[in-house]
């Protein structure tokens, strides 16, 4: 689920101890919840017998929560999801998780066994500490959260679990570079805690830590809790049941929203429109489009989507050469083009409103503009946001077109070959299939932008002909 910063959790500012009063208050609220006397919801139903999720549902029911009109079921291409087991009206609460069942960083800090280790590892980031704690709780085998943790797959298909061969399937995608950095950072973090965690749990291995990182990345919710002063505080938590909802990839395809109830006892998920029986219940993982492209989805959630409307390609930004005439002026102007990152930018499918390829075009104008054009642009509030002139713009577009074609040529296979591989009857491993889908979607996006620039060039040629 969508990750967010927990309140006051900037380690080691809180020294890995509950030293921040807001955290103390949140912790007290969460730890006291089992004694608040939550009403048992006898009418909640799971739609399941006692099988894989039976123990989880029994545990949640005993704590005062459960499912209503929904059941966990296998969903093609999406693992397990929640599906409506009956016709649901708008506003139906389908999932209620008591806050006493959630997991957050405060539990790690006060754990009888893990707490002293947390104090010892006060240099560890909040993210890594949470990952280590939840993996420790799962491996010990008798955790309070064991019924929940046992339902989480031991293989979360994020890039943390990609082999070198799997990563090679990403070909020239920048996601491969990001994934390598992600794994390197995770490996370094584990090496820093290996001896300490092995003293506590001798059988704890590197892949267990990776599982913890992937579990937090793919399943955490931002939840709000009332403190003792009746003020809302927020934190990043693992929320049993609520983490079973799959992501709504298509725009306006979500049919469920989640929030803490006003009494601050349960995290509830409810329908936002009528939902027929047999329909999968979907939530939005993130509202920012940049968090929903396939690269992010694969690295943080462990899946990709064909035809993802939010998909984009990470493209390396053009670099200014010191040998260019008036390099210092060009460099200064580049700093003013705040919309163009210095290292890379996201190239999405071209749209009529704001094609992201124009960010590449603006940078190309800066690079290929003549000395007089550079001087003229230097006094404008938004330099290079408009064409330098028909003749210059044609030169600019040709250069941008050349750059995109070079990027496309770096991939080892064509989009057509990838499509044939996906259509082949011989099944691919999950990781390899995800890698192939990601790279073919990137190639299609780059190809669409190449076609868009070619259309712009043709339009300029027609205008010159008419003149």
């Amino acid at each position: 689920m969508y990750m967010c910063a927990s309140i006051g959790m900037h380690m080691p500012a809180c020294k890995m101890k509950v030293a921040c009063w807001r955290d103390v208050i949140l912790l007290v609220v969460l730890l006291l919840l089992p004694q608040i006397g939550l009403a048992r919801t006898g009418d909640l139903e799971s739609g399941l017998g006692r099988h894989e999720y039976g123990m989880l549902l029994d545990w949640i029911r005993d704590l005062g929560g459960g499912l209503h009109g929904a059941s966990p079921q296998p969903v093609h291409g999406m693992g397990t999801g929640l599906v409506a087991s009956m016709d649901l009206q708008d506003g139906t609460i389908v999932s209620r998780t008591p806050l006493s069942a959630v997991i957050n960083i405060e539990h790690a800090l006060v754990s009888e066994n893990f707490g002293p280790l947390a104090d010892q590892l006060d240099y560890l980031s909040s993210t890594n500490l949470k990952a280590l704690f939840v993996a420790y709780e799962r491996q010990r085998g008798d955790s309070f959260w064991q019924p929940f943790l046992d339902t989480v797959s031991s293989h979360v298909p994020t890039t943390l679990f990609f082999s070198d061969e799997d990563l090679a399937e990403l070909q020239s995608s920048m996601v491969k570079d990001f994934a390598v950095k992600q794994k390197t950072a995770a490996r370094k973090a584990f090496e820093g805690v290996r001896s300490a965690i092995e003293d506590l749990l001798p059988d704890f291995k590197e892949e267990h830590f990776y599982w913890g990182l992937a579990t937090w990345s793919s399943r955490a919710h931002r939840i709000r809790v009332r403190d003792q002063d009746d003020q809302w505080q927020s934190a990043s938590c693992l929320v049993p049941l609520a983490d079973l909802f799959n992501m709504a990839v298509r725009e306006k395809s979500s049919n469920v929203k989640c929030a803490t109830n006003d009494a601050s006892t349960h995290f509830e998920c409810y329908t936002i429109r009528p939902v027929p029986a047999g329909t999968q219940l979907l939530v939005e993982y993130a509202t920012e489009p940049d968090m929903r492209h396939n690269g992010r989805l694969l690295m943080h959630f462990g899946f990709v989507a064909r035809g993802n409307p939010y998909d984009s390609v990470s493209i390396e930004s053009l670099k200014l050469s010191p040998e260019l005439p008036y390099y210092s002026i060009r460099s200064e102007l580049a700093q003013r083009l705040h919309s163009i990152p210095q290292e890379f930018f996201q190239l999405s499918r071209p749209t009529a409103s704001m094609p992201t390829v124009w960010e590449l075009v603006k940078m190309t104008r800066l690079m290929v503009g003549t000395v007089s054009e550079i001087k003229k642009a230097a006094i404008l509030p938004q330099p290079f946001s408009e064409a330098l002139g028909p003749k210059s713009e044609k030169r600019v577009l040709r250069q941008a077109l050349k750059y995109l074609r070079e990027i496309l040529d770096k991939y080892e296979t064509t989009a057509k070959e990838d499509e044939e591989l996906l259509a082949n009857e011989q099944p691919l491993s999950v990781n390899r299939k995800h890698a192939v889908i990601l790279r073919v979607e990137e190639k299609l996006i780059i190809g669409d932008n190449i076609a868009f620039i070619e259309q712009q060039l043709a339009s300029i040629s027609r205008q010159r002909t008419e003149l």
Side-chain angles (χ1 to χ4, degrees):
M1 286 301 184
Y2 177 56
M3 292 290 292
C4 66
S6 56
I7 57 169
M9 297 303 161
H10 303 291
M11 302 299 173
C14 286
K15 187 54 180 157
M16 289 305 183
K17 298 176 181 178
V18 192
C20 301
W21 283 109
R22 287 196 303 175
D23 303 341
V24 173
I25 293 170
L26 179 59
L27 175 60
V28 169
V29 171
L30 289 171
L31 295 182
L32 287 180
L33 277 169
Q35 286 76 46
I36 289 178
L38 304 181
R40 295 179 66 87
T41 48
D43 62 331
L44 295 180
E45 59 189 62
S46 68
L48 290 172
R50 297 186 63 86
H51 57 48
E52 182 179 5
Y53 289 93
M55 296 299 292
L56 167 64
L57 295 169
D58 288 345
W59 175 66
I60 289 290
R61 188 179 296 110
D62 288 342
L63 293 174
L67 296 175
H68 171 70
S71 61
Q73 295 183 19
V75 178
H76 180 68
M78 302 182 76
T80 298
L82 284 177
V83 176
S85 57
M86 56 186 284
D87 290 340
L88 300 172
Q89 299 301 312
D90 184 9
T92 302
I93 297 175
V94 293
S95 169
R96 299 183 78 233
T97 302
L99 296 189
S100 58
V102 307
I103 308 176
N104 69 355
I105 194 170
E106 286 82 5
H107 291 106
L109 301 179
V110 300
S111 167
E112 181 179 355
N113 295 320
F114 192 86
L117 177 64
D119 286 341
Q120 180 183 343
L121 302 176
D122 60 357
Y123 55 85
L124 206 60
S125 71
S126 171
T127 297
N128 288 337
L129 181 69
K130 291 184 293 187
L132 195 63
F133 175 66
V134 73
Y136 161 77
E137 287 291 314
R138 186 174 192 257
Q139 290 305 119
R140 58 182 279 202
D142 61 350
S143 169
F144 168 73
W145 298 282
Q146 205 70 44
F148 162 59
L149 296 174
D150 284 346
T151 65
V152 181
S153 173
S154 59
H155 176 73
V156 185
T158 70
T159 48
L160 275 175
F161 289 93
F162 270 40
S163 65
D164 290 343
E165 291 75 17
D166 294 331
L167 289 172
E169 291 293 345
L170 293 169
Q171 298 185 353
S172 63
S173 170
M174 287 190 71
V175 173
K176 179 169 70 174
D177 299 328
F178 300 149
V180 169
K181 292 177 181 178
Q182 178 193 47
K183 291 192 70 171
T184 300
R187 186 174 296 114
K188 182 178 179 180
F190 179 74
E191 289 301 322
V193 303
R194 180 193 292 271
S195 59
I197 191 65
E198 287 180 347
D199 288 343
L200 191 61
L201 201 63
D203 292 334
F204 197 90
K205 295 180 174 58
E206 185 173 349
E207 56 264 30
H208 299 148
F209 178 58
Y210 287 3
W211 174 90
L213 286 170
T215 296
W216 272 101
S217 175
S218 62
R219 290 174 172 260
H221 274 267
R222 177 181 181 175
I223 73 169
R224 300 168 71 230
V225 179
R226 287 188 186 273
D227 63 22
Q228 292 179 326
D229 295 325
D230 205 33
Q231 299 298 309
W232 287 103
Q233 308 293 345
S234 63
S236 176
C237 300
L238 293 179
V239 186
L241 296 187
D243 70 334
L244 289 174
F245 292 96
N246 282 322
M247 177 183 177
V249 176
R250 305 291 178 186
E251 188 176 3
K252 298 181 179 180
S253 62
S254 62
N255 49 25
V256 170
K257 284 188 177 180
C258 302
T260 305
N261 64 354
D262 192 60
S264 190
T265 59
H266 289 75
F267 189 73
E268 299 177 337
C269 298
Y270 54 92
T271 56
I272 57 175
R273 61 176 60 92
V275 180
T279 303
Q280 185 177 188
L281 300 169
L282 301 170
V283 298
E284 286 192 353
Y285 282 18
T287 56
E288 303 87 351
D290 188 49
M291 291 294 296
R292 301 169 74 171
H293 62 77
N294 277 343
R296 291 269 192 179
L297 296 181
L298 181 58
M299 290 187 65
H300 298 287
F301 302 108
F303 72 94
V304 292
R306 293 300 317 252
N308 181 355
Y310 302 100
D311 202 10
S312 60
V313 188
S314 297
I315 299 292
E316 187 175 0
S317 295
L318 292 169
K319 300 295 187 295
L320 284 172
S321 170
E323 298 178 359
L324 286 171
Y326 286 84
Y327 169 75
S328 59
I329 297 178
R330 295 179 200 267
S331 180
E332 180 183 347
L333 287 172
Q335 298 299 322
R336 289 171 55 187
L337 297 175
H338 300 299
S339 60
I340 302 180
Q342 296 303 301
E343 295 185 6
F344 67 92
F345 68 98
Q346 295 301 126
L347 181 69
S348 58
R349 288 182 172 84
T351 61
S353 56
M354 179 60 78
T356 55
V357 73
W358 286 125
E359 305 304 330
L360 172 63
V361 171
K362 280 195 279 186
M363 197 63 183
T364 309
R365 287 170 182 158
L366 171 64
M367 296 182 68
V368 306
T370 65
V371 172
S372 60
E373 290 168 341
I374 293 296
K375 289 181 176 179
K376 187 181 297 184
I379 62 174
L380 298 175
Q382 294 183 323
F384 303 106
S385 59
E386 296 181 1
L388 301 176
K391 187 175 181 179
S392 296
E393 189 68 357
K394 200 167 186 178
R395 187 173 69 251
V396 166
L397 292 175
R398 283 174 176 166
Q399 184 65 31
L401 191 62
K402 179 175 178 290
Y403 185 61
L404 289 180
R405 284 173 174 163
E406 289 174 350
I407 292 172
L408 191 58
D409 288 342
K410 289 180 181 179
Y411 290 93
E412 298 165 18
T413 56
T414 65
K416 182 180 179 181
E417 290 170 335
D418 291 341
E419 296 286 11
E420 292 173 350
L421 181 60
L422 291 171
N424 196 306
E425 293 183 0
Q426 184 175 357
L428 303 174
S429 68
V430 173
N431 289 354
R432 190 181 181 197
K433 182 178 181 180
H434 286 172
V436 175
I437 291 175
L438 182 140
R439 78 191 192 207
V440 70
E441 291 291 328
E442 288 190 346
K443 294 168 190 176
L444 294 174
I445 290 172
I446 296 171
D448 287 347
N449 280 279
I450 287 174
F452 176 81
I453 293 180
E454 289 174 338
Q455 291 174 2
Q456 302 303 307
L457 279 168
S459 176
I460 291 175
S461 297
R462 284 195 302 269
Q463 292 174 7
R464 290 177 63 86
T465 300
E466 292 172 359
L467 291 175

